[in-house]
Amino acid sequence: MTSISRTLTRFRPAGSLYIFPAKHLVPTISFSSDARAISSVSEPSSTAPSPSQSADKQRGSRWSRWLLFLPGAITFGLGTWQIFRRQEKIKTLEFRQKRLQKEPLKFKEISPSSESLDSLEFQRAECKGVFDEEKSIYVGPRSRSISGVTENGHYLITPLMPNSGDPESVRSPVLVNRGWVPRSWKEKSLQVSEEEQQPSSKPPVVVQESKKSQWWRFWSRKPKHIEDEAPAITSIEVIGVVRGSEKPSIFVPANDPKSSQWFYVDVPAIAVACGLPENTLYIEDINENVNPSNPYPVPKDVNTLIRSSVMPQDHLNYTLTWYSLSAAVTFMAIKRLKQKKR
């Protein structure tokens, strides 16, 4: 193109104009003008928001404002819930204390079918009978702290059976939680039960009497009459409190009666395992007269029955804590909204 333009200027006379034929003209496209036109068309669509988009933004801003107050509302609700829990705990402890102040019940006059558990729970009871040691059950492990030292052990539950020779004895069996015993007690009982289950390998000993002893027994003028008299069985007096089954948490394993693994007190299941009816009454021994020479089992302290792991004062502290958190979070939310408006 540059060579053609040079030749044309060489042969073109000065002051004259050279007109190219229309067929030699090369049409050119102006990309700049087309790009400007395209951008001018596309810009209004990108900058101007649609009505639906503006409505969505307004809804999102409203939800974000409400979400700022959500933690404050949750903590306020938890504080109010602690107030109701405190009132329920006060009523429960007062109910237990009133029941414990009543006169002890005589279990010889009470049968499981005559009274319901709700009307007897947390009442003192006195009963006499004989412990069936072979049917004892160990529930645990349960820890016990003595002078700052924690020791693991179990609760010992033994059926108290009627004594036919004592008119003051119970009429029906009663499950008695005799108290806390060391872990060695359960290990010894398991060893004894295993030894009893193993058959004896020793042959029976046959004693043969001589002819002289037989002749002397027959011709003796003063025969000795030996009477087998059963020794009198003395009843054991138990002073306790009527209780029900425990409510285990989700972290406590399930009981396994077949392997004698009891992690919590389930009165109907323990009664069935001992060969007793499911509605057998269950009491916890609170006798304070412990023999120093035989300190185990250790009976329960009656004061533990009017105490709880979370006392009413603890619920009040939790209430103040939740309300303080609610006030702090709400104040931060209000301050945040004021900054957005500016």
PDB file of all heavy atoms in Angstrom, residues 154-176:
ATOM      1  N   HIS A 154     -18.517 -50.885  95.605  1.00  0.00           N
ATOM      2  CA  HIS A 154     -19.845 -51.219  95.095  1.00  0.00           C
ATOM      3  C   HIS A 154     -20.876 -51.051  96.209  1.00  0.00           C
ATOM      4  O   HIS A 154     -20.532 -51.051  97.397  1.00  0.00           O
ATOM      5  CB  HIS A 154     -19.885 -52.660  94.567  1.00  0.00           C
ATOM      6  CG  HIS A 154     -18.984 -52.907  93.409  1.00  0.00           C
ATOM      7  ND1 HIS A 154     -17.626 -53.117  93.557  1.00  0.00           N
ATOM      8  CD2 HIS A 154     -19.235 -52.974  92.069  1.00  0.00           C
ATOM      9  CE1 HIS A 154     -17.079 -53.306  92.365  1.00  0.00           C
ATOM     10  NE2 HIS A 154     -18.043 -53.233  91.453  1.00  0.00           N
ATOM     11  N   TYR A 155     -22.137 -50.955  95.788  1.00  0.00           N
ATOM     12  CA  TYR A 155     -23.248 -51.049  96.726  1.00  0.00           C
ATOM     13  C   TYR A 155     -23.643 -52.525  96.855  1.00  0.00           C
ATOM     14  O   TYR A 155     -23.738 -53.239  95.849  1.00  0.00           O
ATOM     15  CB  TYR A 155     -24.446 -50.240  96.239  1.00  0.00           C
ATOM     16  CG  TYR A 155     -24.309 -48.756  96.420  1.00  0.00           C
ATOM     17  CD1 TYR A 155     -24.953 -47.863  95.564  1.00  0.00           C
ATOM     18  CD2 TYR A 155     -23.548 -48.222  97.447  1.00  0.00           C
ATOM     19  CE1 TYR A 155     -24.831 -46.494  95.723  1.00  0.00           C
ATOM     20  CE2 TYR A 155     -23.417 -46.849  97.615  1.00  0.00           C
ATOM     21  CZ  TYR A 155     -24.056 -46.001  96.749  1.00  0.00           C
ATOM     22  OH  TYR A 155     -23.925 -44.642  96.914  1.00  0.00           O
ATOM     23  N   LEU A 156     -23.862 -52.939  98.092  1.00  0.00           N
ATOM     24  CA  LEU A 156     -24.237 -54.326  98.362  1.00  0.00           C
ATOM     25  C   LEU A 156     -25.733 -54.397  98.623  1.00  0.00           C
ATOM     26  O   LEU A 156     -26.236 -53.826  99.593  1.00  0.00           O
ATOM     27  CB  LEU A 156     -23.461 -54.862  99.568  1.00  0.00           C
ATOM     28  CG  LEU A 156     -23.770 -56.291 100.003  1.00  0.00           C
ATOM     29  CD1 LEU A 156     -23.455 -57.281  98.893  1.00  0.00           C
ATOM     30  CD2 LEU A 156     -23.023 -56.635 101.280  1.00  0.00           C
ATOM     31  N   ILE A 157     -26.462 -55.093  97.753  1.00  0.00           N
ATOM     32  CA  ILE A 157     -27.912 -55.254  97.876  1.00  0.00           C
ATOM     33  C   ILE A 157     -28.202 -56.731  98.167  1.00  0.00           C
ATOM     34  O   ILE A 157     -27.823 -57.613  97.391  1.00  0.00           O
ATOM     35  CB  ILE A 157     -28.640 -54.798  96.606  1.00  0.00           C
ATOM     36  CG1 ILE A 157     -28.363 -53.312  96.351  1.00  0.00           C
ATOM     37  CG2 ILE A 157     -30.135 -55.041  96.719  1.00  0.00           C
ATOM     38  CD1 ILE A 157     -28.979 -52.774  95.086  1.00  0.00           C
ATOM     39  N   THR A 158     -28.873 -56.980  99.288  1.00  0.00           N
ATOM     40  CA  THR A 158     -29.158 -58.341  99.743  1.00  0.00           C
ATOM     41  C   THR A 158     -30.641 -58.469 100.089  1.00  0.00           C
ATOM     42  O   THR A 158     -31.195 -57.565 100.732  1.00  0.00           O
ATOM     43  CB  THR A 158     -28.314 -58.689 100.981  1.00  0.00           C
ATOM     44  OG1 THR A 158     -26.933 -58.414 100.713  1.00  0.00           O
ATOM     45  CG2 THR A 158     -28.464 -60.143 101.354  1.00  0.00           C
ATOM     46  N   PRO A 159     -31.296 -59.557  99.702  1.00  0.00           N
ATOM     47  CA  PRO A 159     -32.704 -59.755 100.100  1.00  0.00           C
ATOM     48  C   PRO A 159     -32.813 -60.037 101.600  1.00  0.00           C
ATOM     49  O   PRO A 159     -32.050 -60.826 102.159  1.00  0.00           O
ATOM     50  CB  PRO A 159     -33.147 -60.954  99.270  1.00  0.00           C
ATOM     51  CG  PRO A 159     -32.139 -61.101  98.187  1.00  0.00           C
ATOM     52  CD  PRO A 159     -30.860 -60.581  98.741  1.00  0.00           C
ATOM     53  N   LEU A 160     -33.761 -59.387 102.254  1.00  0.00           N
ATOM     54  CA  LEU A 160     -34.086 -59.649 103.656  1.00  0.00           C
ATOM     55  C   LEU A 160     -35.308 -60.567 103.670  1.00  0.00           C
ATOM     56  O   LEU A 160     -36.413 -60.150 103.301  1.00  0.00           O
ATOM     57  CB  LEU A 160     -34.367 -58.335 104.386  1.00  0.00           C
ATOM     58  CG  LEU A 160     -34.593 -58.440 105.893  1.00  0.00           C
ATOM     59  CD1 LEU A 160     -33.289 -58.799 106.605  1.00  0.00           C
ATOM     60  CD2 LEU A 160     -35.147 -57.127 106.446  1.00  0.00           C
ATOM     61  N   MET A 161     -35.104 -61.816 104.109  1.00  0.00           N
ATOM     62  CA  MET A 161     -36.147 -62.825 104.040  1.00  0.00           C
ATOM     63  C   MET A 161     -36.898 -62.921 105.372  1.00  0.00           C
ATOM     64  O   MET A 161     -36.350 -62.579 106.430  1.00  0.00           O
ATOM     65  CB  MET A 161     -35.538 -64.180 103.695  1.00  0.00           C
ATOM     66  CG  MET A 161     -34.640 -64.169 102.476  1.00  0.00           C
ATOM     67  SD  MET A 161     -35.464 -63.566 100.977  1.00  0.00           S
ATOM     68  CE  MET A 161     -36.595 -64.931 100.698  1.00  0.00           C
ATOM     69  N   PRO A 162     -38.153 -63.362 105.352  1.00  0.00           N
ATOM     70  CA  PRO A 162     -38.927 -63.523 106.603  1.00  0.00           C
ATOM     71  C   PRO A 162     -38.319 -64.600 107.501  1.00  0.00           C
ATOM     72  O   PRO A 162     -37.760 -65.586 107.030  1.00  0.00           O
ATOM     73  CB  PRO A 162     -40.322 -63.920 106.107  1.00  0.00           C
ATOM     74  CG  PRO A 162     -40.369 -63.507 104.675  1.00  0.00           C
ATOM     75  CD  PRO A 162     -38.976 -63.625 104.157  1.00  0.00           C
ATOM     76  N   ASN A 163     -38.448 -64.384 108.790  1.00  0.00           N
ATOM     77  CA  ASN A 163     -37.996 -65.350 109.797  1.00  0.00           C
ATOM     78  C   ASN A 163     -39.241 -65.928 110.469  1.00  0.00           C
ATOM     79  O   ASN A 163     -39.972 -65.231 111.179  1.00  0.00           O
ATOM     80  CB  ASN A 163     -37.094 -64.667 110.822  1.00  0.00           C
ATOM     81  CG  ASN A 163     -36.488 -65.643 111.806  1.00  0.00           C
ATOM     82  OD1 ASN A 163     -36.696 -66.861 111.724  1.00  0.00           O
ATOM     83  ND2 ASN A 163     -35.730 -65.119 112.755  1.00  0.00           N
ATOM     84  N   SER A 164     -39.470 -67.213 110.237  1.00  0.00           N
ATOM     85  CA  SER A 164     -40.686 -67.844 110.761  1.00  0.00           C
ATOM     86  C   SER A 164     -40.706 -67.893 112.283  1.00  0.00           C
ATOM     87  O   SER A 164     -41.770 -67.972 112.893  1.00  0.00           O
ATOM     88  CB  SER A 164     -40.814 -69.265 110.197  1.00  0.00           C
ATOM     89  OG  SER A 164     -39.671 -70.040 110.531  1.00  0.00           O
ATOM     90  N   GLY A 165     -39.540 -67.839 112.918  1.00  0.00           N
ATOM     91  CA  GLY A 165     -39.499 -67.914 114.369  1.00  0.00           C
ATOM     92  C   GLY A 165     -39.617 -66.580 115.063  1.00  0.00           C
ATOM     93  O   GLY A 165     -39.564 -66.518 116.303  1.00  0.00           O
ATOM     94  N   ASP A 166     -39.791 -65.512 114.309  1.00  0.00           N
ATOM     95  CA  ASP A 166     -39.890 -64.168 114.894  1.00  0.00           C
ATOM     96  C   ASP A 166     -41.215 -63.545 114.462  1.00  0.00           C
ATOM     97  O   ASP A 166     -41.435 -63.317 113.262  1.00  0.00           O
ATOM     98  CB  ASP A 166     -38.716 -63.308 114.428  1.00  0.00           C
ATOM     99  CG  ASP A 166     -38.657 -61.962 115.143  1.00  0.00           C
ATOM    100  OD1 ASP A 166     -39.550 -61.679 115.976  1.00  0.00           O
ATOM    101  OD2 ASP A 166     -37.720 -61.184 114.867  1.00  0.00           O
ATOM    102  N   PRO A 167     -42.107 -63.251 115.403  1.00  0.00           N
ATOM    103  CA  PRO A 167     -43.387 -62.636 115.017  1.00  0.00           C
ATOM    104  C   PRO A 167     -43.245 -61.215 114.495  1.00  0.00           C
ATOM    105  O   PRO A 167     -44.146 -60.718 113.815  1.00  0.00           O
ATOM    106  CB  PRO A 167     -44.204 -62.667 116.326  1.00  0.00           C
ATOM    107  CG  PRO A 167     -43.185 -62.737 117.410  1.00  0.00           C
ATOM    108  CD  PRO A 167     -42.029 -63.511 116.854  1.00  0.00           C
ATOM    109  N   GLU A 168     -42.126 -60.550 114.803  1.00  0.00           N
ATOM    110  CA  GLU A 168     -41.900 -59.179 114.335  1.00  0.00           C
ATOM    111  C   GLU A 168     -41.245 -59.131 112.964  1.00  0.00           C
ATOM    112  O   GLU A 168     -40.933 -58.048 112.461  1.00  0.00           O
ATOM    113  CB  GLU A 168     -41.016 -58.434 115.338  1.00  0.00           C
ATOM    114  CG  GLU A 168     -41.609 -58.311 116.729  1.00  0.00           C
ATOM    115  CD  GLU A 168     -42.842 -57.416 116.747  1.00  0.00           C
ATOM    116  OE1 GLU A 168     -42.871 -56.471 115.937  1.00  0.00           O
ATOM    117  OE2 GLU A 168     -43.752 -57.671 117.544  1.00  0.00           O
ATOM    118  N   SER A 169     -41.017 -60.280 112.365  1.00  0.00           N
ATOM    119  CA  SER A 169     -40.329 -60.332 111.078  1.00  0.00           C
ATOM    120  C   SER A 169     -41.244 -59.853 109.947  1.00  0.00           C
ATOM    121  O   SER A 169     -42.468 -59.801 110.077  1.00  0.00           O
ATOM    122  CB  SER A 169     -39.861 -61.757 110.799  1.00  0.00           C
ATOM    123  OG  SER A 169     -39.310 -61.863 109.506  1.00  0.00           O
ATOM    124  N   VAL A 170     -40.612 -59.505 108.836  1.00  0.00           N
ATOM    125  CA  VAL A 170     -41.378 -59.083 107.655  1.00  0.00           C
ATOM    126  C   VAL A 170     -42.168 -60.262 107.111  1.00  0.00           C
ATOM    127  O   VAL A 170     -41.776 -61.428 107.265  1.00  0.00           O
ATOM    128  CB  VAL A 170     -40.433 -58.510 106.572  1.00  0.00           C
ATOM    129  CG1 VAL A 170     -39.795 -57.216 107.027  1.00  0.00           C
ATOM    130  CG2 VAL A 170     -39.364 -59.517 106.197  1.00  0.00           C
ATOM    131  N   ARG A 171     -43.272 -59.957 106.454  1.00  0.00           N
ATOM    132  CA  ARG A 171     -44.104 -61.002 105.873  1.00  0.00           C
ATOM    133  C   ARG A 171     -43.656 -61.393 104.472  1.00  0.00           C
ATOM    134  O   ARG A 171     -43.893 -62.523 104.042  1.00  0.00           O
ATOM    135  CB  ARG A 171     -45.557 -60.532 105.849  1.00  0.00           C
ATOM    136  CG  ARG A 171     -46.148 -60.283 107.227  1.00  0.00           C
ATOM    137  CD  ARG A 171     -47.581 -59.807 107.105  1.00  0.00           C
ATOM    138  NE  ARG A 171     -48.183 -59.542 108.416  1.00  0.00           N
ATOM    139  CZ  ARG A 171     -49.411 -59.066 108.583  1.00  0.00           C
ATOM    140  NH1 ARG A 171     -50.173 -58.809 107.520  1.00  0.00           N
ATOM    141  NH2 ARG A 171     -49.870 -58.844 109.792  1.00  0.00           N
ATOM    142  N   SER A 172     -43.053 -60.452 103.758  1.00  0.00           N
ATOM    143  CA  SER A 172     -42.594 -60.699 102.394  1.00  0.00           C
ATOM    144  C   SER A 172     -41.156 -60.206 102.255  1.00  0.00           C
ATOM    145  O   SER A 172     -40.721 -59.328 103.011  1.00  0.00           O
ATOM    146  CB  SER A 172     -43.499 -59.990 101.377  1.00  0.00           C
ATOM    147  OG  SER A 172     -43.544 -58.602 101.641  1.00  0.00           O
ATOM    148  N   PRO A 173     -40.396 -60.751 101.322  1.00  0.00           N
ATOM    149  CA  PRO A 173     -38.995 -60.336 101.180  1.00  0.00           C
ATOM    150  C   PRO A 173     -38.859 -58.852 100.832  1.00  0.00           C
ATOM    151  O   PRO A 173     -39.733 -58.248 100.197  1.00  0.00           O
ATOM    152  CB  PRO A 173     -38.480 -61.222 100.036  1.00  0.00           C
ATOM    153  CG  PRO A 173     -39.416 -62.380  99.996  1.00  0.00           C
ATOM    154  CD  PRO A 173     -40.748 -61.843 100.405  1.00  0.00           C
ATOM    155  N   VAL A 174     -37.743 -58.271 101.247  1.00  0.00           N
ATOM    156  CA  VAL A 174     -37.435 -56.857 101.000  1.00  0.00           C
ATOM    157  C   VAL A 174     -35.997 -56.762 100.521  1.00  0.00           C
ATOM    158  O   VAL A 174     -35.096 -57.403 101.095  1.00  0.00           O
ATOM    159  CB  VAL A 174     -37.622 -56.005 102.281  1.00  0.00           C
ATOM    160  CG1 VAL A 174     -37.264 -54.552 102.006  1.00  0.00           C
ATOM    161  CG2 VAL A 174     -39.043 -56.114 102.794  1.00  0.00           C
ATOM    162  N   LEU A 175     -35.765 -55.984  99.466  1.00  0.00           N
ATOM    163  CA  LEU A 175     -34.406 -55.725  99.003  1.00  0.00           C
ATOM    164  C   LEU A 175     -33.800 -54.608  99.835  1.00  0.00           C
ATOM    165  O   LEU A 175     -34.403 -53.539  99.976  1.00  0.00           O
ATOM    166  CB  LEU A 175     -34.402 -55.338  97.523  1.00  0.00           C
ATOM    167  CG  LEU A 175     -34.713 -56.448  96.518  1.00  0.00           C
ATOM    168  CD1 LEU A 175     -34.827 -55.874  95.118  1.00  0.00           C
ATOM    169  CD2 LEU A 175     -33.654 -57.538  96.569  1.00  0.00           C
ATOM    170  N   VAL A 176     -32.608 -54.846 100.372  1.00  0.00           N
ATOM    171  CA  VAL A 176     -31.957 -53.882 101.249  1.00  0.00           C
ATOM    172  C   VAL A 176     -30.608 -53.501 100.655  1.00  0.00           C
ATOM    173  O   VAL A 176     -29.769 -54.372 100.394  1.00  0.00           O
ATOM    174  CB  VAL A 176     -31.757 -54.449 102.675  1.00  0.00           C
ATOM    175  CG1 VAL A 176     -31.063 -53.415 103.557  1.00  0.00           C
ATOM    176  CG2 VAL A 176     -33.090 -54.848 103.277  1.00  0.00           C
TER     177      VAL A 176
END
